[in-house]
Amino acid sequence: MAHKNKDVVYGLYDDEEIMMKAVKKANSDHLEIMDVYSPFPVHGLDPLLGLEESRLHIAGFVFGSIGTLTAFLGMTWIFTKDWPIIFGGKPYWSVPAFIPITFELTVLFASIGMVVTFYTICGLGPGVTNPTLDDRITDDKFCIAFDKSEVSTSDAESFFSATGASEVNHKTI
Amino acid sequence: MSSVVSPIREPLVTGGKTYHQITEDMISTTERTPSKPWVIGFLLSVMVLSFGIFCIIWTIWHGIGTWDLNRTIGWGWDITNFVWWIGIGHAGTLISAILLLFRQKWRTGVNRAAEAMTIFAVMCAGLFPVIHMGRVWLAIYIFPYPNTRGPLWPNFNSPLLWDVFAISTYFTVSLLFWYTGLVPDFATIRDRAKGFRRKIYNFLSFGWTGSAKHWQRWESLSLILAGLATPLVLSVHTIVSFDFATSVIPGWHTTIFPPYFVAGAIFSGFAMVLTLMLVVRKVLHLEDYITLEHIESMNKVILATGSIVGVAYLTELFISWYSGYVYEQFAFFNRALGPYWWSYFGMMFCNVLSPQFFWSKSLRRNVLFTFFMSIFINIGMWFERFVIIATTLARDYLPSSWSFYSPTWVEIGIYVGTFGLFFVLFLIFTRVAPTVAVAEIKSILKSSGDQYTGKNAVHHDDHGHGEVVEEAH
Amino acid sequence: MKDNKSNVWIGGKDLTNDPEFIEISQQEFANPNLVESMGNQKVAENIGGSRRDFLKFLGFGLGAATVAAGCDIPVKRAIPYVVKPDSIVPGVATYYTSTYVNGGECVPILIKTREGRPIKVDGNVSSKVTMGGTDARTQALVLSLYDTSRFRMPQVKEDGAWTDSSWEEIDLRVKKALANAQGIRIVTNTMMSPTAKAAVEEFKAKYPSTKVVTYDPVSVAALLNANEETFGKRAIPTYRFDNADVIVSFGADFLGTWISPIEYTHQWSQTRKIDDITRPKMSRHIQVESGMSLTGSNADNRILIKPSEMGAAIAYLANKIVGGISVPELNEKAAKNLEKVAIELKAAGKRSLIVSGSNNKQEQILVNAINNALGSIGTTQNFENASLQRQGDEAELKQLTTDITNGNVDVVIFNACNPVYDYAGGNELKAALEGVGTKVAFDLLMNETADSCDIIAPKHHLLESWGDAEMKEGLLSTIQPSIKNLFDTRQYEESLLTWADSPNLDKEATQPYMEYLKHNWEKTYFANQSSFATFQAFWDSVLQDGVYETGYKGETPAFTANVAAAAAGISKPSSTGLEIQFYESVSMGNGQFANNPWLLEMPDPVARTSWGNYLAVPVSFDGVRSFKGFEGLEDGDLVNITVAGKDLTVPVIQQFGQTKGTVSLALGWGRQFGPKTGEVGVNVNDLLTVDENGNAHYYNSDIQIKGKAGKEEYFSCVQYHHTIGVTAKEKGTDQIINADEAATVFFDYFTGVKGFQGSLTDRSIIYTSNVSDLKENVDQLKEKRAHAQHLNEQQIYRGYDQNYEMGHHWGMNIDLTTCTGCGACTIACMAENNVPVVGKREVSRHHEMTWLRIDRYYYGDVENPSTVYQPMMCQHCDNAPCENVCPVNATNHSSEGLNQMTYNRCIGTRYCANNCPYKVRRFNWMDYTTADLFPANQIKVADEDVPFGADNITRMVLNPDVTVRSRGVIEKCSFCVQILQSAKLTAKMEGRKLNDNDLTPCCSAACPTGGITFGDLNDKSNKLTKANNSPLSYLVLEEVNVRPSITYGMKVNNRDESFEV
């Protein structure tokens, strides 16, 4: 999600466990990791990188509540104010009959809202092209990347060699 | 290759795969030129689909009168097929959502295809409520939209309208869930592709990078969507069952319907998943990813739900007798011994008796047997819906209006046509996307694969990753 | 131009010939070409296509194109008013009195016209005879007016082919023929019109060699001749069923088809009403017959005999009452029962009535003898105003045939009758006619007889004609046109007078026959009355009322007969096994209605079959599990039978109550010229036997069943399940068991069309009782209802009745005891609400569209059951299940308690129909009304060129107040909301409250027994509330808690269970 060009030095690891240890080392060496890329979610990585828990579920809750209100108040207004009609001797405001639709709209709003949020905050979406460091990252390589403006190339290279990275590359993104 | 085995349970990924091999095995299916069976299957499906489309046009042009429904029996194959397809759809969501919530790792092998199946099945299902309308061209009336007719809204009391909301919500959510899961794998394909193909997959993958933060959010999103999808899938079939449960017709007006329908849905859904997966597994050589372990677990679910459904049938019979309500009693008597007795017994045999074979482990793990059983169950569940809908309507309160119903070629054609639609979509899917969730498989490789590296790992032989194993201790 | 005046006819007023009026009218009317072009079939049918096009032909009806302004399609060839006739208000109906006459049938009616088009027929309440009642045939009258296959102009046959001709030409030809004719015959069905008779007299005077041959399609000649012999008066007495405590009918279907069914049904129902359940009083009605007739199904007890035993049965009873009569041997069950009947009759004395449908003179004499012995003559029957509704004798036709063959006849004029088809010796007659020089037919439509003539002088349809009818001595009614003649036709009276060069016929008059008619009335009736000074005033009031009573009261002559001699002449039981009985069906008569789709599609009240005649075979219960049709025949089987050497293939219907060893088949089907229908059913008229007096007997003892010939392709029966708890003897134990219950076990699979099976006891659909145990049945009903109401209390939405507490809350009450199932209401409903006709194939697929059906169930003994008829239409439930489930609000509830359909909102999910406990909602499976864009799915009712109703003539019958439904929408009974609205409007304009007489949906208006009461449930003082408060009232399926607005009255009969069954 780089917006201005960055000079990046990154190392590729063959296995997530080596990579994990590398991350640990980076933390102890106080090397500022720009980002870590992996072909699948590596568990236990987040705390090491100091990522706090995602707040997507809060978004979900908010959107859901909007759905609930839209549905229930909408139906209430339509059947009691906008155009009251007698159906099968039911009262105009026949609450039990409103439950299913209320529930469905809750779920619908929550899901759509969340997904949209997710892609927005991740800067992902149809047509978006994010620069990638290495094609193998989505295959079987685990990548730790340093921003040269924060970590000197030499430190980085020594770090990579020490932590058993299989490759070290430089790239501007 | 080393084969390190977890003593705790059978590995879910066998064959000592490396991450790269997994990628190869999965992605290559989208890169190869289509195999002969695929091509044949595809053409066949297209033909069937075209016939279905012809029948639909025929219906719309000539009127519902081209079906053999009548003044007494207003719904027949149309709604039967609708409920049947919806039921089938449910398994996908269940496998991906509920099993995700329960952290059932074995789902990873099948969830992708299952979700795809869900989406395609819902498409087939959604077709029927639309074309069964006498005036399809006015179908828009069912949506609450501002119109020039003054404050004219749909009837929110109508279970049929609940269906509209339920089905569309269900479809949307399943689609989002499925696609979000696909994004990283599309990225994988992208990064292996060249030229135009790369452009397409770049578009499809939404510019996925595999950044740790993205993975984190991606996981929590999947988890919450799963959390939402689970009650949703239950609600959808509950609402479908309301179509009948909220009516006043004996045999329809039954409080047991919601749980009974949901169980039935899971039942038929899993059966359909099996039918498909067993074929995919064979054709795309995914034996290492869709293992006997998977098949057995699913058979267990089938056994369970099948028995639940069985109990439901018996409960119905008991309650109808116990109610002392003559119409209710007759409705069920008529189901079992009336002119449609064969559909009732078809249902009983396929849904209740046949799954009992799965008490035997060897049969649970017998691929061929499982395949035939899954077909059986799908037939049985179709019968169940037919029994509930047609035979109930055929003889209700007023004996003067009793009648009989059998489908015309048009109705049959439309049903067959939906298979065409389903398989066309499914076959295309197997070509454009990995039929197994690559990223997820990779993520469980070490924890539940045969390269288990956690505690109590037993070292078998020693090259390649030996060092890794050491490190783990 | 001139003769257009008739169609602004609005009763007397305009007869003043006020010049200004004529002036106006002359400006108004369409140019003659219009009528001419209508004359041309192609033009007529090539015009336009949209459902609203019917309006365009108002042009020649009235030139009332102003209405067409309401159409959004260009109206072709419509002529706008220059000055609007003040009698016509577009959108407001105009009513004319008239009289429905069809041979011997005569019903004073009120014709409703809209913008000059007759669209509906109601009974004329001023009639002392029919009391405003109607029957299905009367209700279907309007449709026959717009029959596209009517003759458009005179026809002449040139070398075997019919070609259009002109009046001038045929007048010339006929006169020439008449001038040098030695023998002239006018063949007619019963002629009740005094003026027409006068015309005939003039004709006779001009051509002395003229003889009039009168016969009736279904003969009661024996009765007439017997009366002539025993009372010296060849007429039918006025029966007073309402004065009878015991009614015995020997095969006379007096509630369905016999002589004057509307009159008799009304009288009969008077003796069946239960006013006070603590002291219930009800007449006894015993029917002696073979097949289950409409009357028999309503009888308290049926005595089953073979058709050939009728004489024996009558003689047996006569012997018991009169004595000294030798009785042929009779099956002993019947004998035992007649024993009981004799006792009842003796007890009832002069308050008893015996009638017989037998066409054997001697048997009728015996019947008269019995009545005489009981002293009932004068109380339950009299000759004060003897009925003239049957006058024919088919013996005259036999005579005619011989005369022709002897070459004594060179001109035959058929007055709209069809002996070639409906006379037993029709084929001989047809053959003979070859030799007649000139054969003229007055007819509306081509028929077998007309086709064997060589000149057709098409007559006006009744609704275009002037005339009068004397249905009973001294009781007259008038016929006036309500529309100008659609085609180039001429009243037959006018033709006769023209040919007779009558001096009294003013050819120059705009309406010659009207003038003639008035003239005749002036010198006969006006002359003999005192209440009116001017003839105009007299004539006006007569036309206004539609009926006129001369005040004539005849003597009832004494009975004299040689009973013993008569007894010798009765028909003897035939020894052979199987016998076939032929009966007149309620809808078809003897073929006169074969071209009326409403009647073709009307299910037979008893058999519930339509579109054809079905061989009714007896049903029995095998004592274990299943009902068995005679010789294993099942519903819908095709069977080969041989009657008197003639082979037939007919479909079968299993008929409960059919006498063992007999089968029945309806008359009137298999018409060769039902152009709209092709050939439907089989013609049985040539299977009748004719006795030495030349009287036709409606049975044949020479029949074999040759075995099955497959299945009927389109078995159009609207009700497959017939029983609601019939009982039968169990095999072995001989205990009486519920056969329906037993029949459920091990049901014979794979035959969905078999109606049987069903544990049908305790269904809260039908409640029945016998007068004797009325008390306890009422108590049971009370309990059941209390229980149901208790259940209904348990609901989540309590007390939302306030929806309906304000203003009106429409409701209906239907008394099952007086409902005879005659079907007048079903046809009235079709006419009023534009209910489409769907044709045989669609009916066989259960796609019939009738909003109001009459369910028929049998209960009691399986061999000889009682019957209950239940008119079933939308119940307008206050908790309507259909409303909850419609996704688009197409059906919902009005604040007046109507369950209303919004056709243009309906998307056709059929969910409402599924969820209707009464299954009264009807779906437009295909484009029955030819109303939508897809021509492909327009249903041909039969083999017509354009779908029925697609042409612009037939569309003129549509009621503009009721939407014509298109394909894919649901429709159902609306309680005739259009009538309610106009009633409310009228009351409002007159500034008064609605009263009972305002509110008459067409079904209750049509009902001859007044069994259907409609009203406002919120009005606690009206007829409806009174009816609903009866302890006999119940709601169908009350425990389902849909709260229907229609209340039914328990079916009570007076069956004597001690009778042998």
Side-chain angles (χ1 to χ4, degrees), chain B residues 18-278:
Chain B
T18 66
Y19 292 134
H20 182 65
Q21 280 169 313
I22 295 177
T23 316
E24 277 301 327
D25 296 348
M26 297 299 159
I27 306 300
S28 58
T29 61
T30 70
E31 292 162 342
R32 285 191 227 108
T33 49
S35 63
K36 205 189 211 117
W38 187 93
V39 175
I40 296 168
F42 187 74
L43 292 180
L44 207 67
S45 315
V46 170
M47 275 156 52
V48 175
L49 173 59
S50 336
F51 180 61
I53 293 169
F54 169 76
C55 291
I56 290 173
I57 293 169
W58 185 269
T59 304
I60 294 171
W61 182 263
H62 292 283
I64 302 295
T66 53
W67 302 356
D68 242 344
L69 298 169
N70 57 49
R71 60 152 201 240
T72 312
I73 305 171
W75 288 347
W77 276 44
D78 46 3
I79 300 303
T80 303
N81 301 338
F82 159 67
V83 181
W84 187 74
W85 274 117
I86 280 287
I88 285 183
H90 284 358
T93 324
L94 281 155
I95 290 173
S96 45
I98 297 190
L99 298 187
L100 175 65
L101 292 184
F102 294 157
R103 294 272 190 276
Q104 291 293 311
K105 292 205 169 119
W106 63 269
R107 65 181 268 285
T108 50
V110 291
N111 68 330
R112 170 66 45 75
E115 288 166 35
M117 184 196 76
T118 298
I119 287 156
F120 304 147
V122 173
M123 287 166 120
C124 296
L127 189 68
F128 286 99
V130 177
I131 60 167
H132 97 295
M133 291 179 189
R135 303 202 295 174
V136 193
W137 48 93
L138 298 178
I140 187 184
Y141 284 177
I142 61 178
F143 296 108
Y145 63 100
N147 55 62
T148 58
R149 301 178 191 79
L152 185 49
W153 299 95
N155 176 5
F156 298 106
N157 296 313
S158 165
L160 218 48
L161 193 75
W162 303 346
D163 276 344
V164 172
F165 281 86
I167 304 299
S168 40
T169 304
Y170 182 48
F171 181 72
T172 319
V173 174
S174 313
L175 193 63
L176 294 173
F177 193 32
W178 181 63
Y179 197 85
T180 308
L182 266 172
V183 163
D185 294 354
F186 278 146
T188 314
I189 302 179
R190 172 195 67 197
D191 293 344
R192 293 162 53 92
K194 300 268 163 299
F196 184 60
R197 181 176 161 84
R198 189 178 180 108
K199 280 197 176 53
I200 298 172
Y201 278 98
N202 182 43
F203 181 86
L204 292 174
S205 62
F206 286 8
W208 179 262
T209 58
S211 148
K213 184 67 185 168
H214 293 181
W215 275 123
Q216 184 208 24
R217 292 188 179 128
W218 183 87
E219 281 203 297
S220 86
L221 176 67
S222 315
L223 205 58
I224 303 166
L225 279 183
L228 287 170
T230 310
L232 177 63
V233 70
L234 300 183
S235 81
V236 169
H237 225 59
T238 302
I239 288 175
V240 169
S241 79
F242 282 168
D243 284 347
F244 311 104
T246 63
S247 79
V248 300
I249 304 301
W252 277 13
H253 182 69
T254 320
T255 45
I256 195 180
F257 268 5
Y260 159 6
F261 268 52
V262 171
I266 303 172
F267 184 53
S268 62
F270 270 68
M272 192 55 143
V273 174
L274 272 175
T275 319
L276 295 175
M277 292 314 300
L278 292 177

Side-chain angles (χ1 to χ4, degrees), chain C residues 24 27-28 80-86:
Chain C
I24 292 169
Q27 293 165 359
E28 289 318 313
Y81 288 122
V82 178
V83 180
K84 188 182 74 64
D86 50 7

Side-chain angles (χ1 to χ4, degrees), chain C residues 8 21 24-25 28-29 62-63 81-89:
Chain C
V8 283
F21 175 79
I24 292 169
S25 61
E28 289 318 313
F29 295 120
L62 256 173
Y81 288 122
V82 178
V83 180
K84 188 182 74 64
D86 50 7
S87 61
I88 303 296
V89 182

